């Protein structure tokens, strides 16, 4: 079973700053299998990034994904107040099965 | 754009069975890999299990002994049954869909339904 560990637990930044969120897998995974989601309070998660790098439909280019092997990163280049949310990474396995990281909370000062 | 809607009882008694339905609209229940995911209050997301290829299933090993996911293609619905529930099963339950063109990331989600386990 692959475990996903996200860091930091909470990120507190000002509008306009850059946010860097980390997701580390317990073993090497295909870049195709790594996704990122945004969840705001009271809402369902929303797909941001799939295949480690590709933005989902309607996602602004301030969101970008990178990484390979066991280390993946979600970057928000210029934070806006509406980016305040919890961000989850997710890995898809071929059984099929899915695993989520524990989440990173992004707070806007 | 496919839309999903969860439905079912919001309150279930301990030791009983939780039953939820996800209705698929503006698309076919045969076209995606469909999953159930839950989120306990204040906690993260947990994948429960999935339905794929119009009837095959796979479950989270931690829940496998208590979970059944099935499909009703005539109603364009799929369902979740979780047996022998306890307070630890209290959560928001989401249905979601994943397609091959998103490398099976979940691009479609229901709004979620809250299920409380309490006597």
């Amino acid at each position: 079973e692959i475990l996903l560990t996200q860091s930091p637990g909470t990120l507190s930044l000002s509008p306009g700053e850059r946010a860097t969120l980390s997701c580390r897998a317990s073993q090497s995974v295909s870049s195709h299998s790594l996704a990122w989601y945004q969840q705001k309070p009271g809402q369902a998660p929303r797909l941001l990034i799939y295949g480690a790098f590709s933005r989902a439909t309607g996602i602004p280019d301030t969101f970008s994904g990178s990484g390979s092997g066991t280390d993946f990163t979600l970057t928000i280049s210029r934070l806006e107040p509406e980016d305040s949310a919890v961000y989850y990474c997710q890995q898809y396995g071929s059984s099929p099965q899915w695993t989520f990281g524990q989440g990173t909370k992004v707070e806007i000062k | 754009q496919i839309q999903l809607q969860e439905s079912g009882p919001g309150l279930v008694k301990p030791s009983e069975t939780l039953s939820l339905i996800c209705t698929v609209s503006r698309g076919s229940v045969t076209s995606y890999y469909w999953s159930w995911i839950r989120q306990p209050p204040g906690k993260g997301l947990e994948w429960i299990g999935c339905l794929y290829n119009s009837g095959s299933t796979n479950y989270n090993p931690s829940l496998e002994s208590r979970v059944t996911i099935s499909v009703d293609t005539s109603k364009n619905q799929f369902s979740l049954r979780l047996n022998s529930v306890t307070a630890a099963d209290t959560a928001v339950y989401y249905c979601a869909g994943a397609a091959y063109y998103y490398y099976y990331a979940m691009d479609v989600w229901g709004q979620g339904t809250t299920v409380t386990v309490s006597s």
Side-chain angles (χ1 to χ4, degrees):
Chain A
E1 178 187 353
I2 293 175
L3 299 177
L4 300 178
T5 302
Q6 293 187 239
S7 61
T10 302
L11 201 51
S12 184
L13 295 168
S14 299
E17 288 193 301
R18 181 185 191 94
T20 303
L21 287 66
S22 172
C23 177
R24 177 163 289 179
S26 58
Q27 57 186 276
S28 184
V29 300
S30 165
S31 295
H32 286 173
S33 70
L34 201 287
W36 290 92
Y37 297 82
Q38 176 193 65
Q39 187 181 32
K40 296 182 179 181
Q43 298 184 16
R46 177 174 71 145
L47 177 65
L48 296 176
I49 301 288
Y50 65 96
F53 317 109
S54 301
R55 278 185 296 277
T57 303
I59 303 303
D61 60 7
T62 53
F63 291 90
S64 62
S66 63
S68 63
T70 59
D71 292 310
F72 296 87
T73 300
L74 174 69
T75 301
I76 311 172
S77 60
R78 295 179 305 278
L79 280 167
E80 299 183 4
E82 57 264 33
D83 297 328
S84 178
V86 179
Y87 293 82
Y88 294 94
C89 61
Q90 179 204 54
Q91 193 267 334
Y92 164 72
S94 58
S95 297
Q97 63 186 46
W98 289 260
T99 301
F100 291 93
Q102 82 277 22
T104 291
K105 184 176 184 178
V106 173
E107 296 178 340
I108 310 299
K109 293 178 183 176
Chain B
Q1 173 74 8
I2 290 178
Q3 294 183 339
L4 305 179
Q5 178 66 59
E6 304 91 347
S7 59
L11 181 64
V12 181
K13 290 183 168 57
S15 80
E16 295 191 345
T17 297
L18 179 160
S19 295
L20 297 175
I21 290 172
C22 183
T23 301
V24 180
S25 57
R26 301 183 184 180
S28 171
V29 74
T30 61
S31 61
Y32 266 55
Y33 281 21
W34 302 109
S35 281
W36 286 97
I37 297 103
R38 70 180 183 179
Q39 186 169 37
K43 296 187 177 181
L45 301 166
E46 179 182 33
W47 176 73
I48 298 170
C50 74
L51 178 79
Y52 63 105
N53 293 344
S54 301
S56 298
T57 55
N58 196 39
Y59 303 121
N60 187 323
S62 69
L63 297 168
E64 186 168 14
S65 62
R66 299 194 291 132
V67 174
T68 304
I69 295 175
S70 58
V71 64
D72 186 337
T73 54
S74 67
K75 295 181 179 179
N76 227 29
Q77 296 174 336
F78 61 102
S79 63
L80 169 71
R81 287 175 58 87
L82 181 66
N83 301 328
S84 305
V85 298
T86 70
D89 295 311
T90 293
V92 176
Y93 285 76
Y94 296 100
C95 56
Y100 71 92
Y101 46 80
Y102 278 124
Y103 298 129
Y104 296 104
M106 297 172 180
D107 66 303
V108 180
W109 291 74
Q111 65 185 26
T113 187
T114 299
V115 178
T116 302
V117 178
S118 175
S119 55

